[in-house]
């Protein structure tokens, strides 16, 4: 095997530095929002208090829900129900309206009635899409930017392994008392190595999840260029015919659901439950009902089974089970989504995600520290990286805090310049983030401490506002078993403490002013 | 060495690594997804396997383009490899 030459190491070092600085802010944003996405349903409960329902196992009749649909939904060709569980106690429902847009509502699991919920995108509607696409929907541009960041992450991890000569020794070295540059590099190495397998798994599985988007030609070509045929063979998707326009009653969805679960249980040998119920062409002669076990609680693998029934006759149209390689791929994707019922692992994912944030932030900081003593520290390029590093890390966290505070402060009928109250919360997020960029560009290094104070203030404000506006303060939430709310409050308090301590440490030390000494009169 | 080069050569490395690497990866997925069914594997399974292996082609292609001392030659080779895999996949 050829030895790793000094030239090769230098080339990898150059790639590691410049690729990291170029895409670091996006990577940090994806990791930060990804860490929060681990608890997206809990963020939903915190931001949409009306859905803070203690989950109870109960049989839900989808026939009854369909019989009592709101009039607009009853005319929809696409009605989707998400089966409730302990983390999502309300029945999630969304449907395609006449204008082609999707509308979503939460249904009370006990009565099936729509819940008059706070209009908020919350965790599932904003944090999660931001993690996937930065919420830039135009021509899927955001997905491509995040994909490039994930690819860059893999390149950075491998190039980083080549850059460091004594990688094992560096794992055990952290010298916080040494000068800032050394301590930053130590922390970068330590955080990189501590979560290395996790940092490989996340971008790899993330890219695999969107393989159809990122490699459409390559995946469609073996199917004669038909991407729909590829998704049908790999994911079990089923093309439902368009409505015929002739009315026909829908057969019992509950009976079809029971049959789908029985078929899956027979194949698996243990009970398998459906997580998703979808009705196509409701009330039409071409109605179809689709069931999938998207996020099983007792296994890592996603969407192992799909069953589609003819809506009128109730006969099975499509019965799909993942084949072995598809199963392996779905396992890798399931490891990314971490939707299975394993709380300690979920917290470890959260910690791993935050560790990734530390790794990325310290990498960018080290780039700055290495150059701060040189003349280039005043160059436009340096100042740009400096402002983006500050705003891309502490600024993004502050914007997230502002998003939570806006959720608790904004009146129910607030509209601003956006279409809805929920969009108003998102507008606050973007405005605060933009503000932190300007702040960082103007104040440079001093902005760190001030933005940390801002994070601490916003976290405490969110904690207090939840108590004042909902009555579910931390102690009450624990008493009522609202663990999602209590957990969010606890994380806010910890965040405030860490941000406050960081602000104190980052505040510039004022030089001691010498006391004036009276001079003897001459 | 990449650190001592002009902007044009660095841009070539980036283009060959990321764009050429993407074309090579697409070609690889299409080719593997087309060849394995000839050996009896289900087409969906072949494409699933190719998609899982795709990053084992793309990431090394990018790394190669930044590590090589002969970027023009290796970039051209990478592009030729991409063209060949795409052509083969289409021919099958």
């Amino acid at each position: 095997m050829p030895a790793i030459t000094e030239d090769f190491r230098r080339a990898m070092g150059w790639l590691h530095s410049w690729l990291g600085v170029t895409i670091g802010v996006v990577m940090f944003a994806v990791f930060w929002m990804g860490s929060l996405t681990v608890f997206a349903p809990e963020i939903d409960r915190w931001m949409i208090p009306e859905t803070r329902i203690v989950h109870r196992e109960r049989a839900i009749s989808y026939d009854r829900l369909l019989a009592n649909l709101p009039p607009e939904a009853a005319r929809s060709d696409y009605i989707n129900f998400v089966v409730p569980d302990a983390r999502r106690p309300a029945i999630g429902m969304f449907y395609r309206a006449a204008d082609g847009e999707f509308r979503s509502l939460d249904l009370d699991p006990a009565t099936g009635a729509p819940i008059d919920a706070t209009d908020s995108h919350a965790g599932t509607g904003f944090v999660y899409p931001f993690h996937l696409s930065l919420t830039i929907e135009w021509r899927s541009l955001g997905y491509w930017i995040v994909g490039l960041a994930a690819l860059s992450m893999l390149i950075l991890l491998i190039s980083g392994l080549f850059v460091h000569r004594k990688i094992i020794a560096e794992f055990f070295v952290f010298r916080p008392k040494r000068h800032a540059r050394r301590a930053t590099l130590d922390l970068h190495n330590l955080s990189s190595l501590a979560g290395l397998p996790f940092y490989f798994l996340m971008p790899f599985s993330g890219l695999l999840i969107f393989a159809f988007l990122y490699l459409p030609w390559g995946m469609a070509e073996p199917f004669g260029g038909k991407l729909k045929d590829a998704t049908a063979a790999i994911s079990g998707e089923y093309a439902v015919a368009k409505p015929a326009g002739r009315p026909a009653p829908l057969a019992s969805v509950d009976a079809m659901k029971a049959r789908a679960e029985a078929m899956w249980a027979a194949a698996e040998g243990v009970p398998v439950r459906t997580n998703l119920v979808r009705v196509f062409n409701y009330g039409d002669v071409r109605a179809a009902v689709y069931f999938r076990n998207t996020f099983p609680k007792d296994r890592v693998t996603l969407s192992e089974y799909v069953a589609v029934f003819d809506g009128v006759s109730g006969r099975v149209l499509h019965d799909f089970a993942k084949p072995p390689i598809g199963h392996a791929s779905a396992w890798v994707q399931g490891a990314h989504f971490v939707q299975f019922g394993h709380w300690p692992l979920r917290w470890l994912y959260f910690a791993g995600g935050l560790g990734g944030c530390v790794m990325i932030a310290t990498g960018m900081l080290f780039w700055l520290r290495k150059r701060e003593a040189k003349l280039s520290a005043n160059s436009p390029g340096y100042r740009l990286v400096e402002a983006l590093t500050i705003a891309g890390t502490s600024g993004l966290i502050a914007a997230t805090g502002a998003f939570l505070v806006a959720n608790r402060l904004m009146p129910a009928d607030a509209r601003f310049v956006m279409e809805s109250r929920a969009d108003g919360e998102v507008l606050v997020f973007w405005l605060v983030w933009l503000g932190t960029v300007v702040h960082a560009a103007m104040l440079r290094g001093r902005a760190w401490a001030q933005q940390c104070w801002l994070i601490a203030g916003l976290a405490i404000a969110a904690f207090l506002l939840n108590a004042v506006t909902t009555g579910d303060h931390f102690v009450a939430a624990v008493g009522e078993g609202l663990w999602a709310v209590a957990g969010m409050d606890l994380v806010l308090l910890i965040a405030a403490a860490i941000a406050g301590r960081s602000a104190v440490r980052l505040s510039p030390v004022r030089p001691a002013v010498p006391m004036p000494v009276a001079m003897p009169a001459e | 060495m990449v650190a001592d080069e002009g902007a044009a050569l660095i841009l070539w490395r980036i283009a060959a690594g990321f764009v050429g690497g993407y074309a090579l990866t697409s070609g690889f997925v299409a080719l593997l997804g087309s060849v394995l069914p000839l050996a009896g594997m289900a087409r969906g399974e072949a494409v699933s396997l190719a998609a899982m292996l795709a990053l084992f082609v793309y990431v090394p292609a990018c790394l190669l383009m930044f590590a090589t001392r002969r970027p023009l030659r290796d970039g051209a080779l990478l592009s030729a490899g991409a063209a060949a895999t795409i052509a083969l996949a289409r021919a099958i």
Side-chain angles (χ1 to χ4, degrees), chain A residues 7-8 10-12 14-15 144 151 155 158 204 207-208 214-215 217-219 221-223 234 323-326, chain B residues 1-4 10 22 26 29-30 33 41 43-45 47-49 52 55 58-59 62-63 66-67 69 86 90:
Chain A
D7 259 7
F8 177 77
R10 276 184 62 208
M12 289 294 104
W14 184 91
L15 175 63
W144 283 95
L151 174 71
I155 295 171
I158 296 171
F204 176 77
L207 287 165
L208 189 60
Y214 294 137
L215 293 165
W217 182 83
M219 297 187 76
E221 184 58 24
F223 290 88
I234 294 168
I325 297 171
Chain B
M1 230 286 291
V2 60
D4 314 316
I10 291 175
Y22 178 79
S26 276
V29 171
M41 186 182 276
R43 206 167 289 275
E45 286 284 82
V47 174
S48 282
L49 179 64
M52 278 202 283
L55 286 169
Y58 200 174
V59 175
C62 291
L63 286 168
F66 287 94
R69 287 181 189 172
I86 290 169
R90 298 202 76 153

Side-chain angles (χ1 to χ4, degrees), chain A residues 100-444:
Chain A
E101 296 289 317
F102 283 94
R103 310 247 195 288
S104 64
L105 34 131
D106 291 304
L107 306 179
D108 189 309
T111 64
I115 298 171
D116 186 17
T118 301
D119 183 22
S120 173
H121 292 305
T124 312
F126 177 66
V127 174
Y128 173 53
F130 194 101
H131 169 62
L132 303 179
S133 66
L134 312 173
T135 64
I136 303 170
E137 296 295 330
W138 182 75
R139 290 180 182 267
S140 303
L141 178 66
Y143 290 92
W144 283 95
I145 296 172
V146 172
L148 181 65
L151 174 71
S152 304
M153 178 88 177
L154 290 169
I155 295 171
L156 286 163
L157 289 171
I158 296 171
S159 57
L161 288 173
F162 285 118
V163 170
H164 301 285
R165 284 188 188 82
K166 300 168 185 168
I167 199 148
I168 300 298
E170 283 173 352
F171 182 66
F172 297 98
V173 177
F174 180 45
R175 293 158 287 188
K177 304 274 185 218
R178 292 282 295 273
H179 58 86
R181 189 171 132 192
R182 186 71 246 175
T184 306
L185 184 61
D186 282 351
L187 189 54
H188 179 64
N189 294 339
L190 180 65
S191 55
S192 307
L193 288 168
L196 197 61
F198 179 77
Y199 305 146
F200 270 110
L201 174 67
M202 287 299 108
F204 176 77
S205 52
L207 287 165
L208 189 60
I209 289 165
F210 289 104
F212 281 113
L213 176 75
Y214 294 137
L215 293 165
W217 182 83
M219 297 187 76
E221 184 58 24
F223 290 88
K226 293 174 185 157
L227 198 60
K228 275 194 173 173
D229 288 357
T231 55
I234 294 168
S235 311
E237 289 308 313
Y238 180 80
V240 175
K242 288 199 183 312
R246 281 180 285 134
L250 190 70
S252 169
V253 173
D254 294 334
M256 291 183 234
K257 178 171 171 283
R259 187 158 169 218
E261 290 178 346
M263 289 188 322
W264 300 342
E268 190 79 13
V270 290
V272 181
R273 296 178 65 180
T274 189
N275 305 100
L276 197 140
V277 179
R278 187 174 293 158
V279 180
F280 292 99
N281 307 332
Y282 178 56
D284 190 88
V285 72
R286 287 191 183 152
V289 187
Y290 172 106
F291 300 95
R292 199 169 73 182
N293 73 329
T294 318
F295 293 128
K297 296 288 159 270
D298 58 348
R299 64 200 70 192
V300 179
T301 312
L302 297 182
S303 302
E304 282 172 283
Y305 298 102
V306 174
V308 184
F309 294 81
D310 182 287
V312 178
S313 68
R315 130 186 102 84
V316 178
L317 295 175
H318 180 61
D319 179 17
F320 175 84
K322 282 251 157 82
I325 297 171
H327 200 276
S329 176
W331 190 94
V332 174
Q333 294 172 41
H336 188 106
F337 275 98
V338 68
Q339 291 293 314
F340 42 90
H342 200 306
W343 281 103
L345 198 58
R346 198 163 286 138
W347 279 104
L348 271 177
Y349 266 58
F350 182 63
L354 296 183
C357 292
V358 171
M359 170 182 73
I360 297 161
T362 49
M364 289 162 69
L365 260 178
F366 180 68
W367 189 94
L368 290 169
R369 296 246 194 256
K370 213 172 159 185
R371 286 157 183 82
E372 69 188 350
K374 300 175 187 170
L375 284 174
S376 61
N378 276 318
S379 69
Y382 179 91
R383 293 194 64 165
L384 177 71
V385 174
E386 184 184 48
L388 289 178
T389 302
I390 298 168
T393 53
S394 57
L396 175 64
I397 299 169
T400 311
F403 177 61
L404 297 177
V405 169
N407 169 264
R408 292 293 81 224
L409 281 181
M410 212 174 265
D413 57 352
R415 286 292 177 276
F416 293 105
V417 291
M418 313 299 278
E419 279 185 8
S420 65
R421 181 192 183 280
D423 290 340
E425 289 174 8
V426 173
L427 179 67
V428 169
F429 169 89
W430 286 108
L431 287 177
V432 170
W433 200 7
L434 187 66
T436 62
V437 177
V438 176
H439 176 248
M442 290 172 69
L443 267 72
R444 302 194 63 184

Side-chain angles (χ1 to χ4, degrees), chain B residues 44-90:
Chain B
E45 286 284 82
V47 174
S48 282
L49 179 64
M52 278 202 283
L53 296 176
L55 286 169
F56 294 94
V57 175
Y58 200 174
V59 175
C62 291
L63 286 168
L64 167 78
M65 280 315 301
F66 287 94
T68 181
R69 287 181 189 172
R70 299 185 180 109
L72 292 175
R73 187 200 67 174
D74 289 348
L77 278 175
L78 202 146
S79 305
T85 50
I86 290 169
L88 269 172
R90 298 202 76 153

